[in-house]
Amino acid sequence: MNIQFKKGALNLCVLVLLEKQDRYGYELVQKISDRIAISEGAVYPLLRRLTKEGYFSTYLQESTEGPPRKYYSLTEAGRTYLHEQLEEWKRFTDGVNKLIEEGVQND
C-alpha cells in the first residue's frame, strides 16, 4: 500500500486503539500490524509527536517480562482530536468512495 495512505491512517489507528484502553508502544505496533503492514519505527515518532501536542499522557508500569513499559493514555484533548479526525476521515473516505463508484459506473 502507498506509504502516504498509511501515514494518514496510522494517526487515526493509534488514536482509536487508545480510546478503548491504555497501551504501550509495542502493543500498538502489534495491534496495527495485525491489520496493516507497518514498520515498528513508524509508530514511535507518532507517539512522541501526539504526546508533545497534549493528546496523550504517559506513565510507566512494571512488566513481568522485562523493564517497565511506557503506557500511553488518551487525554481529554486527545478524545476531542480523535472525534474530529473520525469526522474528517468519514468525509474523506465517503468522497473517495463516491468518486470510485462514479468512475467504475462510467466504464
Side-chain angles (χ1 to χ4, degrees), residues 41 43-53 56 70 72:
V43 173
Y44 291 100
L46 176 65
L47 290 172
R48 280 191 296 278
R49 180 177 59 80
L50 293 174
T51 300
K52 186 176 179 182
E53 291 174 359
F56 302 149
K70 185 179 192 176
Y72 295 85

Side-chain angles (χ1 to χ4, degrees), residues 11-12 21 47 51 68 107:
N11 193 54
L12 188 55
Q21 70 184 63
L47 290 172
T51 300
D107 284 349

Side-chain angles (χ1 to χ4, degrees), residues 92-102:
F92 174 75
T93 56
D94 286 349
V96 170
N97 287 334
K98 285 179 180 149
L99 286 170
I100 291 170
E101 289 170 13
E102 288 172 11

Side-chain angles (χ1 to χ4, degrees), residues 32-93:
I32 295 168
S33 293
D34 286 348
R35 307 280 177 150
I36 305 168
I38 60 163
S39 70
E40 186 175 333
V43 173
Y44 291 100
L46 176 65
L47 290 172
R48 280 191 296 278
R49 180 177 59 80
L50 293 174
T51 300
K52 186 176 179 182
E53 291 174 359
Y55 299 131
F56 302 149
S57 59
T58 62
Y59 60 93
L60 291 177
Q61 186 168 319
E62 292 298 322
S63 169
T64 58
E65 300 171 9
R69 292 179 172 151
K70 185 179 192 176
Y71 278 78
Y72 295 85
S73 178
L74 206 56
T75 63
E76 282 307 311
R79 286 185 203 294
T80 300
Y81 180 61
L82 166 61
H83 294 288
E84 290 168 356
Q85 293 295 298
L86 285 171
E87 284 298 315
E88 192 172 318
W89 179 260
K90 184 174 178 353
R91 283 191 306 273
F92 174 75
T93 56

